[in-house]
Amino acid sequence: MSLEKEIQESVFPLKKVAFDMNQIMENLDTRDLDLEEVDFEPYDPSLPVNTRIPFSAIYKTKGFKETDIQVYLNEVHITAKILEVERGIIAQHERVSSTQQRLTSKVKHAGVFTIELKHGGFTWRVRRKEKHFHELHRELITYKTFMRIPIPTRSHTVRRKTIKRDEVQQMPSLPRGSENLVREEQFSSRRKQLEDYLNKLLKTAMYRNYHSTLEFIDVSQMSFIHDLGPKGLEGMIMKRSGGHRIPGLNCCGRSEICYRWSKRWLVVKDSFIMYMKPDSGAIAFVMLVDKEFCVKMGLKDTETKHGVRIDNLSRSLIVKCTSYRHALWWGQALEDHVKKHGKAFLQDHRFGSFAREQENTLAKWYVNSSIYMQDIADALEEATEEIFITDWWLSPEIFLKRPVVEGNRWRLDYILKRKAQQGVKICVMLYKEVELALGINSEYSKRTLMRLHPNIKVMRHPDHVSSTVYLWAHHEKLVVIDQSIAFVGGIDLAYGRWDDKEHRLTDVGSVTRAISTASCLLSDKSTKGPGEESMPHNNGSSQKTGGDAKAADSVDLPKLKGVGRSRKYPRFSLHKQLHKHHLQHGDSISSIDSSEGNSSAIRNLQTGVGQLQGDTRFWHGKDYCNFVFKDWVQLDKPFDDFIDRYTTPRMPWHDIGSVVHGKAARDVARHFIQRWNFTKIMKPKYRSLSYPYLLPKSHTTANDLRYQVPDCVKTKVQVLRSAADWSAGIKCHEESIHNAYVHVIENSKHYIYIENQFFISCTDNRLVFNKIGDTIAARILKAYRENKKYRVYVVTPLLPGFEGDISTGGGSAIQAVMHFNYRTMSKGDNSIISQLNAEMGNQWINYISFCGLRTHAELAGKLVTELIYVHSKMLIADDNTVIIGSANINDRSMLGKRDSEMAVIIEDTQTVPSVMDGEEYQAGKLGLQLRLECFKLILGGFTDPTIDVTDPISERFFKEVWIATAARNATIYEKVFRCLPSDAVRNTVELSEFIAKLGLDTEDPAKALEELKKIRGFLVQFPLYFLCEENLLPSVGTKEHMVPMETWT
């Protein structure tokens, strides 16, 4: 304390001296001071990228008066030019006391100078009066004086050390002038004097970097960041609190006493405005430009003298300026800048989407998640600035590349930690579930990620009590890298999602990387050479990892329960399992020892990670799952098995994803940013500076791609979403996904192919409201009336994804979803089939097909079967239009006011020759490739080259391939396994009788094997009449009956 007092006592007289010197300096004519100009290189548009201010600078802002803030581009000059002088009239008045009237006594001419400044590729304008130049000059003289005095404070000492001695002497002179300029030549002369003064000032770093100069020329740390786009209006304003369109965030009153005014630095960019706190430099709010964005001025609209009101879908922001002229300038300049540079954001786009169609967008599809997650892993490795992730469910410990042969290197949490250590900002948003209803344990996921590194921030939303949102979920599945690459689809980075085209039911082995043929010939035990990497063996221990893998990623391998357990069952044969699925080429397995019965034989698996030896293990711990058999438990123990993989087959997962680049990726990032910033405002715990506001990058730099996902196709892409006030903080909900589905179906010419987790539609304006089912029926009826060929393919899960034993009815949750699925397909007057039957009778079978997926395997010496869970959310139309996203076909996903969703509609711009109904057809490159991949996979075309899937609507394909394959497979599975659901079971009595009868798998396994050889692919007919005589709605008294009916729709 005594030391502080001493310093204060010593500083006080110095301040007095400084004040006296300031008075002296104000009266000095500085024209006699020596002024040496600093040489600058002229701006070259081809300057290297390293001269730009990186986007990451937005996370490193400091107080405006700090000395070491980065504002300008390195080694790039800044120039000023006064374009015009606006001559105004100032009327000075005197008051007559007797009459209390004002009379004009004197008139002065005052000039407002419009100054154009250029810095690198940035150009902007400011408006200043003569008095502003004088105020700046006095500020700089005071600053110069203080810099000459060695005040014993740390901040002052540091500042003095950063200034060169000769710079202090380079204070330019401000020629004396007056605001009372009358003649034109006086204005012209004064303009030249002020222009020269300002240019000289801006050449001296000491004065150019001073906060008063920065404020004079309207620049800040946000001005020249390349990825934020062109520089717009900036300046100090007073902003009023409140104005949010979110219940609970506004003052209930309208009196002035209810508001709070704060001084802020406002920044206007092409697609958003923001304001910062001058003392800390922290971003305090971000307001996106959208279709409701507008600027209003005047007391009536702002309730404030000299006010400007800025509206968008989320907020009504009111700022106060210093004068009427100042407010007018701000309002007009702000509106003009946004209309010029952000016009696309002001419009309501096709389907009512917040995003417009983006031409020449690189896009790629994924069928199943093996390559999807692999590409995400590679893209994450290339991140340099930001990673955004949002999922309905996220499991930190999942492996993105499999088989696991590089330790933990490709485990999600390890990847994110590695990138965070490199300085990448990682923002994760998770759905905060109602814990009594769901067991996804998002709290564990958040806690696990947050403790990895301070650069990883995780939010959960919604708070159910404060927001009163109990029924709806955040359902998007997005990964965005540097706002330049966006993965969009139905695939969460969570347990059970990883799968490939084999859709394996079993996983009881382990795998190591082979070094040489010699090492493979030793024994079934792993024999390792230098640089080899391996997963834990039967004892669960990790072995030393060599090569280039980092120690942090390759050691500390998880202890896997269930590995190497001694069982009485015969050893699982990888060769038999893969051969059963007719693997060829890159997926084939070849035995080094030709004797298949030799238990010590070592076999080689050809995969994307090199040559592997041994039996494979792809799913570890909780990742091996069958959620209809048993839902997940104890997620905080990720590597403990929770079902017995030696007796229970896993449930394969069929899913679709996509990736887009450039401007479309910017649009996906913009949605994430809107949700993040909204959540930050909504939840008090996220309002601290440790959770930053996010800024959207400009579309003007979107094509500067530093990394591209391989094998992409140029297309036209539009981003779609379901969003509302509770999910994104917008006053008008958006249902552009729903609108796009309806539009594409209505305008399809030849066929639509749908894969979706749910199929709940056909509006009755009472329980179900989305129009997709009705649109399908109307499109088929149109084709029937016009006597034209048209096909509809629908692939959906055979059973809903809820825990329950279907042999006893399945449980209330399963039955509730089944009720609405059947109500859409076949049950009741509103169903698609009923609508078609009413006009065309049984002819509907020539137009539409409902199917599911199923597979089989050998597990512990027994034949087993399981449905393949279709989790896709995809539509393909006419081999040229594709919708991929997270939205199910139900009201929850489609109506916009309920679950939040994201999707992309991809329209081909490149065509390739194909066939449609036996005639030549120009198909879209991406759409055709995706449809062929799906058809070959589910029909067995990869293993049986005789299956021709080229023509999607010909009679031969529809009846002899699609319908015949689905019917044959379904018949065989029912004969061998007596599996459910089945059309042979229409009520609970028939259900009991059906289960009582054994299948061939038990009665005659040899014959069962012969029958199963006839299976092709995975396609089976959907049993449209399963339990059709039963009321499947939840019974009175069950917890499912207690929740609102819209929960299931």
Side-chain angles (χ1 to χ4, degrees):
M1 293 295 293
S2 60
L3 182 61
E4 280 185 19
K5 197 171 181 181
E6 240 177 82
I7 292 172
Q8 287 175 358
E9 288 174 354
S10 64
V11 169
F12 181 71
L14 288 170
K15 284 187 175 180
K16 286 188 68 179
V17 172
F19 178 77
D20 293 338
M21 290 187 68
N22 181 41
Q23 297 298 314
I24 296 169
M25 292 297 292
E26 280 193 25
N27 298 317
L28 286 178
D29 188 344
T30 55
R31 284 174 289 187
D32 298 330
L33 293 175
D34 180 35
L35 182 63
E36 296 178 10
E37 295 189 3
V38 182
D39 290 332
F40 284 89
E41 293 294 327
Y43 174 64
D44 180 0
S46 62
L47 282 172
V49 175
N50 57 15
T51 63
R52 298 173 181 170
I53 299 175
F55 184 76
S56 57
I58 69 169
Y59 298 108
K60 302 172 185 176
T61 54
K62 298 180 180 180
F64 284 23
K65 294 185 179 181
E66 295 293 324
T67 57
D68 56 344
I69 60 173
Q70 182 179 6
V71 175
Y72 303 105
L73 304 174
N74 293 328
E75 301 179 1
V76 179
H77 192 20
I78 179 169
T79 60
K81 182 179 181 180
I82 298 180
L83 299 180
E84 61 181 8
V85 184
E86 180 185 329
R87 300 176 64 177
I89 297 177
I90 299 177
Q92 292 191 349
H93 307 281
E94 58 185 20
R95 192 174 300 277
V96 181
S97 58
S98 61
T99 61
Q100 291 297 303
Q101 293 178 345
R102 291 186 304 168
L103 298 175
T104 302
S105 63
K106 192 176 181 181
V107 175
K108 287 186 177 182
H109 293 265
V112 179
F113 299 92
T114 300
I115 309 166
E116 184 180 79
L117 296 110
K118 292 185 179 181
H119 182 53
F122 298 90
T123 302
W124 71 104
R125 294 181 181 183
V126 298
R127 290 163 62 90
R128 296 291 180 261
K129 293 181 181 179
E130 174 91 19
K131 70 175 183 177
H132 296 137
F133 282 90
H134 287 284
E135 288 169 358
L136 172 65
H137 193 63
R138 282 195 295 270
E139 283 268 349
L140 294 176
I141 289 174
T142 304
Y143 173 54
K144 174 182 177 180
T145 304
F146 268 99
M147 287 301 97
R148 289 182 169 183
I149 303 173
I151 300 174
T153 62
R154 176 172 296 181
S155 61
H156 188 75
T157 303
V158 171
R159 185 184 287 267
R160 290 186 80 228
K161 287 181 177 179
T162 62
I163 296 173
K164 299 176 183 178
R165 285 188 179 181
D166 60 337
E167 283 190 340
V168 181
Q169 299 294 332
Q170 293 174 16
M171 177 69 188
S173 61
L174 177 62
R176 290 188 177 90
S178 171
E179 290 195 359
N180 304 327
L181 304 177
V182 180
R183 295 191 303 273
E184 185 65 38
E185 57 268 23
Q186 287 180 308
F187 276 105
S188 179
S189 174
R190 190 58 179 160
R191 178 170 64 182
K192 178 62 176 172
Q193 290 174 348
L194 295 178
E195 185 178 298
D196 291 342
Y197 167 78
L198 192 54
N199 278 303
K200 290 176 181 178
L201 189 70
L202 294 174
K203 289 181 180 179
T204 308
M206 171 183 169
Y207 304 115
R208 182 176 65 243
N209 296 329
Y210 189 53
H211 65 87
S212 295
T213 308
L214 299 178
E215 187 172 342
F216 182 86
I217 63 173
D218 284 357
V219 298
S220 68
Q221 299 160 79
M222 295 293 168
S223 299
F224 306 119
I225 297 175
H226 178 70
D227 278 323
L228 289 183
K231 184 185 180 326
L233 192 67
E234 295 187 44
M236 204 71 73
I237 48 90
M238 297 295 292
K239 70 92 186 175
R240 196 171 80 177
S241 61
H244 299 277
R245 303 189 192 279
I246 307 155
L249 286 183
N250 289 309
C251 179
C252 58
R254 297 182 62 84
S255 172
E256 206 169 300
I257 198 172
C258 299
Y259 299 118
R260 184 179 70 255
W261 291 94
S262 304
K263 188 178 182 181
R264 296 289 183 263
W265 181 267
L266 190 70
V267 179
V268 180
K269 291 293 183 180
D270 58 355
S271 69
F272 69 94
I273 66 172
M274 56 170 278
Y275 54 74
M276 306 167 70
K277 295 180 179 179
D279 55 344
S280 65
I283 299 171
F285 184 71
V286 179
M287 191 174 189
L288 300 182
V289 175
D290 55 37
K291 63 183 181 181
E292 293 286 316
F293 186 90
C294 64
V295 180
K296 297 179 180 178
M297 293 162 282
L299 187 62
K300 181 181 178 181
D301 290 311
T302 65
E303 302 174 348
T304 303
K305 189 178 181 182
H306 310 322
V308 176
R309 177 173 143 192
I310 309 164
D311 290 321
N312 76 345
L313 283 169
S314 302
R315 187 178 182 182
S316 181
L317 174 65
I318 294 178
V319 301
K320 183 163 58 177
C321 300
T322 56
S323 66
Y324 170 76
R325 177 182 276 178
H326 187 203
L328 188 64
W329 159 252
W330 266 79
Q332 289 177 344
L334 196 159
E335 196 168 27
D336 290 345
H337 182 82
V338 172
K339 283 183 177 178
K340 180 180 179 181
H341 299 286
K343 184 178 179 181
F345 303 101
L346 296 170
Q347 300 171 349
D348 197 0
H349 300 288
R350 185 179 62 159
F351 310 131
S353 173
F354 75 105
R356 67 174 177 179
E357 302 147 77
Q358 305 294 358
E359 303 282 352
N360 298 317
T361 300
L362 290 171
K364 179 181 179 179
W365 52 260
Y366 299 91
V367 177
N368 298 313
S369 60
S370 57
I371 305 301
Y372 179 80
M373 290 188 179
Q374 178 179 305
D375 278 358
I376 285 180
D378 290 335
L380 289 173
E381 279 295 300
E382 297 296 327
T384 58
E385 296 162 346
E386 295 172 324
I387 294 170
F388 301 155
I389 300 174
T390 183
D391 275 327
W392 179 80
W393 180 25
L394 183 144
S395 306
E397 298 86 3
I398 65 160
F399 291 92
L400 298 185
K401 290 189 179 184
R402 310 185 193 188
V404 181
V405 293
E406 295 183 80
N408 289 325
R409 178 169 179 78
W410 298 112
R411 214 173 84 182
L412 178 60
D413 53 351
Y414 275 70
I415 297 173
L416 296 182
K417 181 179 180 180
R418 186 161 63 244
K419 299 311 295 182
Q421 289 171 339
Q422 295 170 11
V424 176
K425 297 293 181 181
I426 299 169
C427 300
V428 181
M429 281 193 293
L430 301 176
Y431 164 56
K432 186 177 181 180
E433 75 281 10
V434 179
E435 294 179 10
L436 293 176
L438 283 172
I440 57 179
N441 201 346
S442 62
E443 171 60 31
Y444 167 76
S445 299
K446 176 182 177 180
R447 190 171 63 248
T448 301
L449 292 174
M450 287 283 284
R451 66 187 180 196
L452 294 176
H453 195 276
N455 279 341
I456 300 176
K457 301 298 178 185
V458 183
M459 290 183 178
R460 295 195 303 155
H461 186 263
D463 272 346
H464 305 288
V465 176
S466 62
S467 65
T468 67
V469 175
Y470 293 95
L471 303 180
W472 317 132
H474 286 298
H475 198 240
E476 305 104 311
K477 300 94 168 54
L478 309 174
V479 179
V480 184
I481 289 90
D482 293 339
Q483 298 191 39
S484 297
I485 303 170
F487 292 86
V488 182
I491 305 171
D492 290 293
L493 301 181
Y495 296 135
R497 272 58 175 174
W498 190 94
D499 216 326
D500 58 15
K501 64 175 62 177
E502 305 308 322
H503 288 315
R504 300 171 180 86
L505 288 183
T506 62
D507 189 36
V508 296
S510 62
V511 67
T512 58
R513 178 177 289 178
I515 297 305
S516 64
T517 306
S519 66
C520 291
L521 292 171
L522 294 177
S523 69
D524 199 18
K525 292 182 179 180
S526 160
T527 305
K528 289 161 54 65
E532 184 179 347
E533 300 166 351
S534 73
M535 276 298 293
H537 285 236
N538 291 348
N539 58 7
S541 64
S542 60
Q543 301 193 15
K544 189 174 181 181
T545 304
D548 296 330
K550 298 179 181 178
D553 300 322
S554 56
V555 298
D556 190 28
L557 294 175
K559 184 176 181 181
L560 306 178
K561 291 192 176 182
V563 180
R565 293 163 57 186
S566 176
R567 306 296 296 211
K568 62 184 179 181
Y569 308 117
R571 180 180 169 167
F572 172 72
S573 168
L574 177 65
H575 183 274
K576 288 180 180 178
Q577 174 65 17
L578 298 184
H579 181 69
K580 182 176 297 180
H581 292 291
H582 312 285
L583 291 185
Q584 296 178 354
H585 308 298
D587 294 309
S588 65
I589 182 103
S590 59
S591 176
I592 294 176
D593 190 327
S594 60
S595 173
E596 187 176 309
N598 187 348
S599 63
S600 64
I602 306 300
R603 290 168 288 273
N604 298 330
L605 177 65
Q606 304 298 327
T607 72
V609 294
Q611 190 178 31
L612 305 175
Q613 63 180 28
D615 291 333
T616 182
R617 167 165 287 203
F618 291 98
W619 296 272
H620 304 280
K622 297 295 188 296
D623 216 7
Y624 186 93
C625 59
N626 187 322
F627 47 87
V628 172
F629 173 76
K630 183 180 181 181
D631 210 347
W632 282 272
V633 293
Q634 295 182 313
L635 291 172
D636 56 341
K637 298 179 180 178
F639 297 106
D640 290 2
D641 284 3
F642 73 108
I643 59 176
D644 191 341
R645 66 177 69 217
Y646 293 88
T647 59
T648 305
R650 66 177 289 272
M651 182 172 286
W653 192 275
H654 182 78
D655 221 328
I656 303 291
S658 69
V659 64
V660 295
H661 297 69
K663 292 181 180 180
R666 291 276 205 270
D667 291 333
V668 176
R670 190 176 181 83
H671 168 76
F672 180 96
I673 289 167
Q674 186 174 45
R675 271 196 54 203
W676 176 276
N677 291 343
F678 162 68
T679 306
K680 177 175 169 63
I681 297 169
M682 275 291 293
K683 298 185 69 171
K685 69 166 69 174
Y686 299 140
R687 292 178 194 169
S688 69
L689 293 179
S690 62
Y691 284 85
Y693 276 101
L694 301 180
L695 302 182
K697 288 185 177 181
S698 173
H699 279 50
T700 59
T701 63
N703 293 327
D704 301 338
L705 297 177
R706 197 183 60 81
Y707 173 77
Q708 296 180 16
V709 175
D711 304 321
C712 288
V713 177
K714 276 193 176 182
T715 60
K716 181 172 73 174
V717 175
Q718 186 180 12
V719 178
L720 314 168
R721 66 176 179 175
S722 293
D725 53 354
W726 81 264
S727 58
I730 54 177
K731 67 175 181 179
C732 304
H733 79 278
E734 180 178 325
E735 52 180 302
S736 52
I737 302 176
H738 181 208
N739 296 335
Y741 263 83
V742 171
H743 173 85
V744 171
I745 295 168
E746 282 179 341
N747 291 276
S748 58
K749 297 179 179 179
H750 304 287
Y751 81 90
I752 58 169
Y753 172 67
I754 292 174
E755 288 184 7
N756 208 282
Q757 181 186 4
F758 292 88
F759 199 66
I760 299 174
S761 187
C762 295
T763 179
D764 58 5
N765 292 319
R766 186 171 59 90
L767 292 176
V768 181
F769 297 91
N770 80 80
K771 302 175 182 178
I772 293 173
D774 294 319
T775 308
I776 292 172
R779 181 63 188 87
I780 292 173
L781 288 172
K782 179 184 177 184
Y784 173 74
R785 292 163 189 158
E786 294 175 354
N787 196 27
K788 292 183 178 179
K789 195 170 292 184
Y790 185 79
R791 313 290 189 193
V792 176
Y793 303 91
V794 179
V795 177
T796 192
L798 292 171
L799 288 173
F802 296 92
E803 182 179 349
D805 185 359
I806 193 62
S807 64
T808 61
S812 297
I814 289 180
Q815 288 187 3
V817 177
M818 286 171 58
H819 167 82
F820 287 105
N821 278 337
Y822 284 125
R823 179 198 161 283
T824 304
M825 298 179 196
S826 58
K827 195 173 181 179
D829 295 337
N830 291 312
S831 69
I832 293 175
I833 291 178
S834 294
Q835 291 185 53
L836 299 179
N837 258 328
E839 183 165 337
M840 64 173 70
N842 288 332
Q843 290 298 311
W844 65 265
I845 62 174
N846 295 318
Y847 291 89
I848 188 167
S849 166
F850 297 98
C851 292
L853 304 179
R854 180 176 287 279
T855 188
H856 64 280
E858 177 189 344
L859 177 61
K862 293 175 61 178
L863 290 171
V864 292
T865 187
E866 186 57 88
L867 65 88
I868 296 171
Y869 193 67
V870 179
H871 192 257
S872 319
K873 297 92 169 57
M874 176 191 69
L875 179 147
I876 307 174
D878 299 339
D879 283 354
N880 57 30
T881 305
V882 177
I883 300 177
I884 297 174
S886 64
N888 295 312
I889 295 181
N890 58 14
D891 281 359
R892 290 186 65 108
S893 292
M894 291 293 171
L895 295 188
K897 296 180 181 179
R898 302 184 181 183
D899 290 357
S900 62
E901 307 284 3
M902 176 133 289
V904 290
I905 178 169
I906 305 172
E907 296 168 276
D908 276 298
T909 55
Q910 300 179 21
T911 60
V912 291
S914 185
V915 179
M916 190 73 70
D917 196 19
E919 298 181 358
E920 292 184 0
Y921 180 74
Q922 289 298 311
K925 187 174 182 181
L926 183 140
L928 176 64
Q929 289 176 348
L930 176 56
R931 199 259 305 165
L932 292 177
E933 178 77 11
C934 292
F935 279 18
K936 287 180 181 178
L937 172 66
I938 64 180
L939 290 168
F942 287 116
T943 55
D944 186 350
T946 64
I947 297 175
D948 183 8
V949 298
T950 307
D951 190 338
I953 68 170
S954 68
E955 289 291 319
R956 181 183 177 279
F957 171 78
F958 185 70
K959 294 182 178 178
E960 298 178 25
V961 178
W962 184 271
I963 299 295
T965 300
R968 181 176 64 248
N969 289 349
T971 301
I972 294 171
Y973 278 128
E974 184 172 319
K975 184 177 181 181
V976 172
F977 296 106
R978 304 291 290 171
C979 50
L980 294 170
S982 167
D983 275 335
V985 176
R986 303 196 175 204
N987 52 54
T988 53
V989 175
E990 292 180 355
L991 178 62
S992 301
E993 295 172 353
F994 186 86
I995 295 168
K997 187 176 180 181
L998 299 177
L1000 286 178
D1001 62 324
T1002 303
E1003 292 184 335
D1004 192 345
K1007 188 175 180 181
L1009 281 171
E1010 288 300 313
E1011 288 291 324
L1012 290 173
K1013 289 179 181 178
K1014 302 173 185 176
I1015 294 287
R1016 290 292 179 270
F1018 306 113
L1019 194 70
V1020 293
Q1021 276 185 337
F1022 193 93
L1024 293 172
Y1025 305 103
F1026 177 61
L1027 295 179
C1028 63
E1029 298 173 7
E1030 298 289 333
N1031 181 9
L1032 298 177
L1033 287 173
S1035 304
V1036 176
T1038 63
K1039 63 179 182 180
E1040 287 81 7
H1041 181 267
M1042 295 171 65
V1043 300
M1045 197 62 70
E1046 56 260 37
T1047 304
W1048 310 110
T1049 63

